[in-house]
Amino acid sequence: MIEGMARKQTGKEELLVPTVYDWRTTDEEEIERRRLRAQTETFRILNRDPHHPIFSNFEVLSGSGLTYSVEIRRLRERQVACTCVDFRINGLGTCKHVEAVFLLLEGRFRKAFQLALEVGSDRLDLFPDPATGRWRMEGDRRRLPKVLRQRIDPDGWLLGEPSEDEIKAWRKLSQNGCPSLRVSQEADSWLERRCREEERHRLRREYEAKVHSGEWPSHETTVPLYPYQREGMLHLAFTERAMLADEMGLGKTIQAIAACALLHRLGKAERVLVVTPASLKTEWEEQVQRFTNLSLQLVFGPQKQRLKAYRNAPFFTVVNYEQMLADALEVNEHLHPDVVVLDEAQRIKNWNTKTARAIKRLRSRYAFVLTGTPIENRIDELHSLIDFLDPAVLGPLFRFNREYYVLDDRGRPDGYRNLQQLHDRIRPLMVRRRKADVETELPDRTDKHLFVPLSPSQAVNYEEHIVIIGRLLQAARRRALTQGEQEKLFKHLAMARMTCDTNYILDRTDRTCPKLGELEKLLEAARDNGAKVIVFSEWEGMLELVRDLCKRMNLGYAWHTGSVPQRRRRAEINAFKGDANCRVFLSTDSGSTGLNLQNASVVINCDLPWNPARLEQRIARAWRKHQTQPVTVYHLIAEKTIEQQMLETLAGKQALADGVLDLRGDLAELKPRGGRQAFLARLRQLFTQRQDGETTPPPPRGPSLPADRSLGFAETVHQRINGALVQCEERFPKEGAHSVLYVVVERDAGVHRERLASLHQEYFGEGRADPLAPVRLEVVDRATHDALERLAAAGLICATTRGARPLFPGGDPAAKALTDEERRRLAEQAGWAQRQARLARVLGAAGFVAEARDKALEALVAGARAVAVAGRLPEPGSPEEALQAPVATAWGAGLEPLRAFQQTAAGPWEPAVAEIERVAKELTAQAGVKA
C-alpha cells in the first residue's frame, strides 16, 4: 500500500494569492489558495487500492483530525472527487485534499504520474455529474457486458436514474468479472440524499394520516400549541435541517421541543443535543419538564465528567457553546446525537470564530437553528448560519460575496445586490413569523428616548477618548491602521461609551452618574404603579450603581450578570418572578436572550447596544407571548454624544434585516453598514459632525466680548480644551502691525488648530478687531515648541519678535493672588491627575501597558499644570506660595520614576504608577480636595 506525507514543497515557485482583505477573487485565485494550503499543511495519505497507484481512492487524514476520501478519475480533465464540504460546494473541481494527493503522487511516482497524464486512465468510472445531476460512464464501454452497455447512451450518459439495487449490481460486477469498473464513492451520498428526501415525504403523509384518524395526537406537548407553533414544529421535523427565525417572544423553544418529540414518536430521534448560551440552560430544563415527559440532563463540570454524561445520555442533553469548543468531536463519538438544536444561533454568525468552527464539526441527521436575529450587522452572518444546515444552499463564502455584495475598487463591500434571490434561496429552510403577523392580542409597546446631559467630569473624560478617536480616524484617512491602532481605536470607543453611562466603570472613585437621576424617577413611578422593571446595561459597573440606588429606595432586586454562577441564575430569575417585593431585574446582556419575564412591564436600557437585534432581544424578555400588560421601554441616552448618533446606525441595521428576511422596504436602497471599513466611515462622519458643532455645545457668549480680547481668548481656550493647554502668548513681530496668538498644546496640534479656528474668528473676525492691527493664530504642540526653544538656545535660529505678552501661564501682572475660580481650577486639575493615575493602574492591570503609560504621563503633566495654574508666581510670604511649594516638590519627586517608566514601557511599570498615584494624591491634598 502507498502511504505518505504531503507537506510543503521546497524549491517550487511561490504561489500568489490575493489578500484576505480583498473579496474580489477569481476561481483561479481560489484554486491557488487551496494549492498553497496543500503545500503548507501536513496530511497523512493512504492509497486504499494499491493495484492502481494513480487512478485510485485515497484516504486523507487532515490536520484537523478528520479523515476524507479523495477519488482520482482523470488527470488531464481533472475529474476528481472528495468527501469534504469545500469540494462539494465550491464548484472549483478541487480542494486542498485533492491538491495534497496530487503533490504526493507527482513527487513519489513522477514517471507514472506523467504517463497517466499523457495516456489517461484504463478504468471504467461510473459517477454522478455535479453539473447535470445525471449519471455518466467514462472509459472503454466495450469491456462491459452487452446488457449493461445498453444502459449507456452513445455520449456516455446512463439512461434514467439508477436504483439502489442497480448500483449494488454495478459494484458487484466491479468485484467479479470487470475489475477495471469503479462505481464512484459519491454514489453513497447521492443515494442517501435521495432516500432521505423520499422518506421525509412518506413520513409526513403517514403522520398526518394518523393524526387525522385519531391514532396519534395533534400535539406532541402536554400543552396545546398555537396554530403557528404547530406549523413551526412540522417545518423543523420534516425539513430535517431547518431554521426557525420567529421574532423574539413567539416560542421558538417550545416549537423545537415539540419537533424533537415528534421525531421521537416517528422513531427518528433517540438523543438530542441542545446547544444554548450558559444563561439559558436552566430555562431549557424548565421548558422541557413543563411541556414533555421526555428525559433530560444539563451538562456541567470538568471534561471528564462531561464525557461520562455524553456516554450515558437521556433524550435531551443540554450544553452551552463554550463546552463545545473542547467537546465537539467527543460528542460525535460518544453521544451520536440524532438532532442538534442551536438556540440563539447567532452565536455562530461569524464563520471564522473558534465557536463557529467547533459547532460545525457536530454531526447529526437533523439540525434546528433557532434565532430571532439571523442578521444583526451583515448578510454574511446569514451565510454562516445556513452553512451549518446545508453548505450547498448558499455555496462557499467567496461565491456568496460575488453574488450578493457590490465590491469597491479595494475589494470591500460597497452595496448589495440580488437580495430577492438571496431571500428565495433560503426560504425553503427558513420559517419566520413576526409578532404583528401571528399575535393580534399582544399588548401595546411604547418606546421613549430620554436624553441626559453629561456631568462636567464625564464631559472631560469623554473628550479625552474622542480626541484620541479623532486622531486615529484622521490617520485612517491617509493609510490603513495597524493592528495596534485598530485595537486602540475600538478600546477608546468602548471607553467613550462607558463614560456616557458613568465614570465609575473606569474610575471607582467617581460615582457621578446623571442617568441615575432619571432612573430614580422611573423606578419611583413604577413602584407607584405596581409595575416590575427590567434594567439592562452592557457594563456591570453601571448596574452596581443601579443596585445601590435600589437599596437606597428599599426596592428588592434580582442580579443576573456574567459573574453569577450558572446554577445561581435560576434562583435570581425565580425570585423576580415569584417574589412580589423583588421589583427590579438587573441584567447585563447575559440575560437579554431566552428568558421569559412577562411579569415585568417596564424595560430600561441604560445604554444602547450596537445592533438592533440585541436591543430587541432585551425588550422581548418582557414584550412577548403571554404578556398581559402594555410594555413601556425607556432608552437613557447621553445627550450630544456617540450614543445619540447610534440611533441612526440601529435604524439602518434594522432595515437590512427587514429587507432580506421579510422583503420589507426598498431592497435596492439598502447599503452595507457592517464591516470594519464601513464602521470607520461612520465614526469619521460622527467625528466630523462633532467638530462642526453638532454634538458640541456652542461656547458661552456674553452680551459683548471682553475689552482685552487676547486675554479673553486665552481664558476661553483654557476652559475649552481644559488640560491640553500648555502655554499661550501674544507675540509681536518686528515687521508689520499684526500680532500672533502663539498657542502651545500638549499634542494633536492639527486637531486643536481646527477647533480653535472658529473661536479665533469669534474674537478677531471681520468687524471684531482693528483691521489695521490684525491678530493671527498659530498652534503648535509641546514637542515642536521645545525643539524651537532648543534651536534658539543653540543659536541656530533667531527670534524675530519685538516683544511677547504671556496670557497663559501669565495673565495680568497686577493681579497676583489666585481668584476663587482659579483655586477651583487648581482643585479640578489635581483631582483629574489623580483619576488619570488610577486609570493607568486599571489599564495596566488589564494588560494595556502602553495605554497605562500614556495615562501616567498625563497624570504627571496635569500635576505640572496645577503648579502653574493661571500662570501666576506668588508673592513672597503669600498663601499661594505656601500652597505651590509642596506641589512643586511633589512634581519633582515624580520626575525620576517617570523617566524610568518611559524607558521601560513594556517592563515593570507598577512601581512607577504607584509613585505617580502618590504624587497625584499629594497634589490633591495641597489643592484642598479630599483624596
Side-chain angles (χ1 to χ4, degrees), residues 516-805:
L516 280 185
E518 293 295 332
L519 259 170
E520 185 172 4
K521 298 175 186 175
L522 297 177
L523 293 178
E524 193 63 54
R527 174 159 56 187
D528 293 343
N529 297 329
K532 288 201 172 190
V533 182
I534 308 173
V535 178
F536 280 109
S537 176
E538 192 166 337
W539 296 285
E540 193 167 323
M542 178 65 187
L543 292 178
E544 290 175 7
L545 296 183
V546 183
R547 179 177 61 188
D548 294 344
L549 174 63
C550 291
K551 291 177 181 178
R552 291 198 303 272
M553 298 179 66
N554 197 27
L555 285 172
Y557 62 87
W559 183 256
H560 192 287
T561 69
S563 62
V564 178
Q566 293 181 27
R567 297 176 186 269
R568 175 65 188 168
R569 294 178 188 180
R570 173 53 53 188
E572 296 288 332
I573 295 169
N574 288 338
F576 182 69
K577 289 182 175 181
D579 186 350
N581 295 319
C582 186
R583 307 297 298 277
V584 183
F585 189 83
L586 304 175
S587 180
T588 58
D589 283 320
S590 65
S592 65
T593 55
L595 298 184
N596 298 303
L597 303 174
Q598 297 96 325
N599 57 324
S601 58
V602 177
V603 179
I604 302 174
N605 291 300
C606 294
D607 37 68
L608 296 176
W610 275 114
N611 64 67
R614 183 168 296 177
L615 184 62
E616 288 301 315
Q617 285 172 344
R618 291 179 176 184
I619 298 168
R621 297 317 101 216
W623 194 58
R624 59 191 299 113
K625 198 161 191 66
H626 305 303
Q627 173 62 267
T628 59
Q629 309 172 70
V631 174
T632 305
V633 183
Y634 295 97
H635 308 287
L636 301 182
I637 300 169
E639 190 176 26
K640 299 177 181 177
T641 67
I642 193 171
E643 280 195 336
Q644 192 166 345
Q645 296 296 323
M646 285 169 64
L647 295 174
E648 180 184 352
T649 300
L650 291 169
K653 291 181 179 180
Q654 186 62 55
L656 173 62
D658 290 345
V660 176
L661 302 176
D662 304 313
L663 295 181
R664 292 175 178 241
D666 187 352
L667 300 187
E669 294 298 319
L670 295 177
K671 295 295 181 183
R673 289 178 171 268
R676 181 158 292 188
Q677 295 303 318
F679 184 67
L680 291 177
R682 291 199 302 276
L683 283 181
R684 281 195 293 268
Q685 180 182 14
L686 166 61
F687 190 75
T688 301
Q689 291 174 345
R690 183 181 167 278
Q691 295 294 79
D692 290 343
E694 292 186 20
T695 62
T696 303
R701 297 186 182 182
S704 61
L705 293 173
D708 190 336
R709 302 282 179 85
S710 298
L711 183 59
F713 174 84
E715 290 176 348
T716 305
V717 169
H718 176 53
Q719 295 172 3
R720 185 75 61 85
I721 65 176
N722 198 13
L725 181 61
V726 176
Q727 180 178 331
C728 182
E729 293 181 348
E730 185 173 16
R731 296 187 175 184
F732 302 92
K734 290 180 179 179
E735 302 294 335
H738 69 282
S739 63
V740 178
L741 290 172
Y742 180 74
V743 179
V744 181
V745 294
E746 187 61 44
R747 62 184 71 175
D748 303 319
V751 173
H752 290 295
R753 187 179 298 114
E754 293 179 7
R755 297 181 61 193
L756 297 181
S758 59
L759 180 64
H760 177 264
Q761 183 69 19
E762 181 181 336
Y763 273 81
F764 303 101
E766 184 177 357
R768 301 191 179 188
D770 187 348
L772 300 179
V775 181
R776 299 174 185 172
L777 175 66
E778 184 58 53
V779 182
V780 300
D781 56 39
R782 181 194 287 270
T784 302
H785 171 73
D786 291 345
L788 293 172
E789 292 290 313
R790 289 196 302 272
L791 292 173
L796 298 177
I797 60 174
C798 298
T800 59
T801 57
R802 54 187 172 82
R805 174 192 176 201

Side-chain angles (χ1 to χ4, degrees), residues 85-364:
V85 172
D86 181 50
F87 182 88
R88 180 161 63 91
I89 69 173
N90 65 34
L92 301 171
T94 191
C95 64
K96 67 177 182 179
H97 309 107
V98 169
E99 297 299 330
V101 171
F102 280 154
L103 278 175
L104 176 68
L105 297 179
E106 188 177 7
R108 179 167 295 189
F109 303 99
R110 186 173 298 276
K111 291 184 179 180
F113 187 86
Q114 187 61 35
L115 181 63
L117 190 61
E118 295 172 0
V119 177
S121 172
D122 63 349
R123 303 193 70 170
L124 279 166
D125 281 300
L126 181 65
F127 59 93
D129 180 65
T132 62
R134 298 175 61 189
W135 283 74
R136 182 172 180 80
M137 174 73 75
E138 287 281 357
D140 187 0
R141 297 187 294 278
R142 291 175 298 179
R143 288 177 287 174
L144 291 173
K146 183 177 179 181
V147 65
L148 294 180
R149 287 202 305 269
Q150 294 175 352
R151 287 282 287 129
I152 311 295
D153 71 13
D155 295 324
W157 297 102
L158 191 67
L159 298 173
E161 284 191 351
S163 65
E164 184 176 0
D165 290 339
E166 184 179 0
I167 289 178
K168 288 180 179 179
W170 284 100
R171 281 182 167 161
K172 186 175 182 180
L173 177 63
S174 70
Q175 297 167 2
N176 303 290
C178 190
S180 63
L181 174 63
R182 175 174 53 171
V183 178
S184 173
Q185 65 184 24
E186 295 180 295
D188 292 332
S189 58
W190 185 88
L191 280 173
E192 183 181 15
R193 286 195 298 272
R194 190 177 72 172
C195 291
R196 284 187 174 183
E197 183 176 356
E198 292 173 352
E199 183 185 49
R200 286 200 303 272
H201 289 94
R202 176 178 57 81
L203 286 175
R204 180 153 192 172
R205 288 195 303 269
E206 292 177 357
Y207 169 75
E208 291 177 342
K210 290 184 178 181
V211 169
H212 183 72
S213 67
E215 183 178 350
W216 283 355
S218 58
H219 298 280
E220 294 297 325
T221 52
T222 55
V223 176
L225 301 177
Y226 290 95
Y228 79 88
Q229 291 179 326
R230 189 173 186 277
E231 177 190 344
M233 173 192 74
L234 297 176
H235 169 74
L236 292 175
F238 293 114
T239 305
E240 193 168 303
R241 301 183 70 86
M243 176 187 293
L244 187 60
D246 289 347
E247 273 194 321
M248 286 79 72
L250 294 183
K252 292 185 290 294
T253 301
I254 180 59
Q255 295 176 67
I257 292 172
C260 293
L262 174 54
L263 290 174
H264 178 65
R265 178 181 295 280
L266 296 171
K268 294 300 175 182
E270 294 299 326
R271 289 185 173 183
V272 175
L273 178 73
V274 178
V275 188
T276 185
S279 60
L280 299 183
K281 290 167 77 172
T282 52
E283 190 79 15
W284 268 87
E285 179 183 35
E286 180 182 285
Q287 296 290 312
V288 169
Q289 292 175 348
R290 178 183 175 190
F291 293 108
T292 74
N293 297 315
L294 296 168
S295 57
L296 169 138
Q297 69 172 352
L298 305 185
V299 177
F300 296 100
Q303 189 176 41
K304 183 177 180 180
Q305 182 177 335
R306 300 199 301 268
L307 294 181
K308 184 178 179 181
Y310 302 146
R311 293 187 182 97
N312 303 288
F315 186 76
F316 283 105
T317 296
V318 183
V319 300
N320 51 279
Y321 283 93
E322 293 77 10
Q323 291 169 336
M324 291 300 95
L325 288 173
D327 295 358
L329 297 181
E330 301 290 347
V331 165
N332 292 337
E333 181 179 355
H334 301 296
L335 181 64
H336 303 295
D338 301 299
V339 187
V340 171
V341 181
L342 300 187
D343 189 22
E344 301 299 340
Q346 62 272 13
R347 289 287 296 270
I348 65 165
K349 66 179 182 178
N350 296 323
W351 63 272
N352 202 29
T353 61
K354 291 181 180 179
T355 299
R357 292 197 296 268
I359 293 298
K360 291 177 183 182
R361 293 193 185 104
L362 294 171
R363 297 289 174 259
S364 65

Side-chain angles (χ1 to χ4, degrees), residues 814-825:
K816 297 294 184 181
L818 294 175
T819 65
D820 291 341
E821 174 63 18
E822 288 164 343
R823 289 179 185 276
R824 185 187 64 78
R825 291 181 194 168

Side-chain angles (χ1 to χ4, degrees), residues 826-836 920 924 927 929:
L826 173 59
E828 284 185 356
Q829 195 71 18
W832 187 79
Q834 182 187 19
R835 290 196 299 275
Q836 296 307 103
T924 307
V929 181

